[in-house]
């Protein structure tokens, strides 16, 4: 449990050797699944959609509609990033269903997601708004407020990443405790873990993926509105 | 003793739970008053809930640090 997803699986023999950990391999798996799914759903598209094309159109349309609602005419820049982030996090959080430990139960993985979202926020506000205005906005309404405005970025990274990490780790821990307790009490672990897994794995995983994406979207909406 | 300290740190969840509950109640009430303002209320509610939840997350991080240090 203490090592978990950071166990070194194998090392790539380049230089001193690059350790490849379990979390990285799981993320490669989810990436490969998403890429294959995208190619499968969008192969030979027609004007009259088949069943798989309807699924693809539904996913893309719903993401586009939500981003259009919030970001106005900047939506086409951020819709691909936000959609990919949501699908990727969903895949990672639901890995607990097939007996693997989700990589998002490690703070290193979620911190990278948080840093990525805030970096996109900062870079896009500098590029899409004028850089001088962006810099001066840290000194409004009075100059003394600058350190707090700067600290706000770090706070957002910490809260985004720690929220995802804490929730997923709590779910994983509770499920482990249930399995061990049932085995210790000589009750066959059938039925009871399934009902609890509905909440701790599926509901919690989907909810945290939605919240992470939605908060990234709302931070962008706050920064970009006129 | 570190386990006890981690437990005390998680007491921050009391206030956060009550706060997010009140925020949700007010959001639901305002949607009931003006259903067409739903699109404006939702981001405000999410920002408020995120800011409130940050406190609980700080306490959770401290508890994790205390437990894993031992």
């Amino acid at each position: 449990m203490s090592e978990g997803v950071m166990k070194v699986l194998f090392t790539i023999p380049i230089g001193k050797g690059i350790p490849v950990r379990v979390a990285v391999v799981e993320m490669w798996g989810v990436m490969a699944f998403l890429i294959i799914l995208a190619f499968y759903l969008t192969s030979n598209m027609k004007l009259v959609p088949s069943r798989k094309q309807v699924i693809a159109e539904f996913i893309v349309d719903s993401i586009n509609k939500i981003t259009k609602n919030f970001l106005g005419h900047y939506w086409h820049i951020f819709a691909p990033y936000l959609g990919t982030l949501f699908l990727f996090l969903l895949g990672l959080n639901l890995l607990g269903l097939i007996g693997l430990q989700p990589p998002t139960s490690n703070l290193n993985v979620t911190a990278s997601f948080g840093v990525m979202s805030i970096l996109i926020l900062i870079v896009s506000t500098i590029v899409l708004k004028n850089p001088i205005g962006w810099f001066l906005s840290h000194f409004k309404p009075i100059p003394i407020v600058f350190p707090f405005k700067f600290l706000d970025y770090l706070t957002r990274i910490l809260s985004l990443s720690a929220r995802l990490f804490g929730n997923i780790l709590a779910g994983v821990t509770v499920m482990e405790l249930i399995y061990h307790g049932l085995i210790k009490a000589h009750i066959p672990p059938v039925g009871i873990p399934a009902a609890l897994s509905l909440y701790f794995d599926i509901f919690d995983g989907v909810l945290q993926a939605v919240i992470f994406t939605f908060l990234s979207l709302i931070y962008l909406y706050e920064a970009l509105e006129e | 003793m570190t386990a006890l300290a981690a437990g005390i740190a998680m007491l921050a969840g009391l206030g956060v739970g009550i706060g997010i509950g009140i925020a949700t109640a007010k959001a639901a009430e305002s949607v009931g008053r003006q259903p067409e303002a739903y699109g404006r209320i939702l981001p405000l509610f999410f920002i408020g809930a995120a800011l409130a939840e940050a406190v609980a997350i700080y306490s959770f991080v401290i508890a994790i640090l205390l437990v894993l240090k031992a």
Side-chain angles (χ1 to χ4, degrees):
Chain A
M1 195 66 208
S2 59
E3 264 207 326
V5 288
M6 295 313 269
K7 208 169 67 192
V8 178
L9 211 58
F10 59 92
T11 45
I12 300 173
I14 300 173
K16 290 181 179 177
I18 303 168
V20 176
R21 302 180 190 272
V22 175
V24 180
V25 176
E26 283 173 344
M27 285 201 272
W28 285 344
V30 174
M31 279 183 232
F33 173 73
L34 284 180
I35 291 167
I36 290 167
L37 189 76
F39 273 117
Y40 169 72
L41 287 180
T42 58
S43 58
N44 63 46
M45 297 211 282
K46 298 184 199 69
L47 193 62
V48 180
S50 59
R51 189 178 301 175
K52 58 182 189 181
Q53 197 181 324
V54 168
I55 296 170
E57 282 180 5
F58 169 72
I59 294 171
V60 173
D61 265 348
S62 45
I63 290 166
N64 283 354
K65 208 159 56 183
I66 291 171
T67 44
K68 221 179 278 190
N69 262 346
F70 279 101
L71 297 179
H73 64 102
Y74 294 124
W75 71 272
H76 59 275
I77 306 174
F78 299 109
Y81 166 69
L82 290 166
T84 311
L85 182 75
F86 172 66
L87 291 174
F88 191 46
L89 281 177
L90 196 66
L92 289 183
N93 291 346
L94 293 182
L95 275 180
L97 293 176
I98 53 173
L100 298 167
Q101 195 187 338
T104 39
S105 63
N106 189 288
L107 190 51
N108 300 294
V109 178
T110 57
S112 61
F113 282 115
V115 168
M116 203 163 60
S117 275
I118 300 300
L119 267 185
I120 283 197
L121 167 73
I122 293 173
V123 170
S124 58
T125 40
I126 290 175
V127 170
L128 296 174
K129 306 227 146 186
N130 53 337
I132 298 156
W134 173 79
F135 183 74
L136 286 179
S137 73
H138 291 75
F139 296 97
K140 289 172 188 172
I142 43 171
I144 201 147
V145 89
F146 172 72
F148 301 105
K149 292 246 184 178
F150 183 75
L151 210 68
D152 193 34
Y153 292 120
L154 298 178
T155 311
R156 282 175 178 186
I157 293 177
L158 179 67
S159 68
L160 270 180
S161 52
R163 176 183 302 114
L164 182 60
F165 154 72
N167 278 290
I168 303 295
L169 181 70
V172 169
T173 313
V174 168
M175 288 310 291
E176 288 273 322
L177 285 175
I178 287 165
Y179 282 120
H180 281 282
L182 285 176
I183 289 167
K184 273 260 196 302
H186 301 293
I187 302 168
V190 177
I192 303 166
L196 287 163
S197 180
L198 270 181
Y199 176 79
F200 285 113
D201 282 335
I202 298 179
F203 179 72
D204 216 14
V206 174
L207 188 73
Q208 290 312 316
V210 168
I211 284 180
F212 194 99
T213 316
F214 207 78
L215 278 175
S216 302
L217 177 64
I218 284 174
Y219 289 157
L220 282 169
Y221 161 76
E222 258 192 317
L224 293 176
E225 70 179 348
E226 301 300 327
Chain B
M1 286 307 272
T2 50
L4 191 65
I8 293 169
M10 286 308 287
L11 283 178
L14 284 174
V16 176
I18 293 170
I20 294 183
I22 292 173
T24 315
K26 292 287 181 186
E29 194 182 319
S30 47
V31 170
R33 281 178 200 272
Q34 285 200 325
E36 67 271 12
Y38 178 70
R40 298 244 189 84
I41 293 164
L42 193 66
L44 282 174
F45 165 67
F46 262 93
I47 292 171
L51 288 175
E53 198 168 7
V55 179
I57 286 163
Y58 298 150
S59 76
F60 175 76
V61 169
I62 289 168
I64 285 281
L65 287 174
L66 282 170
V67 168
L68 293 186
K69 195 190 62 181

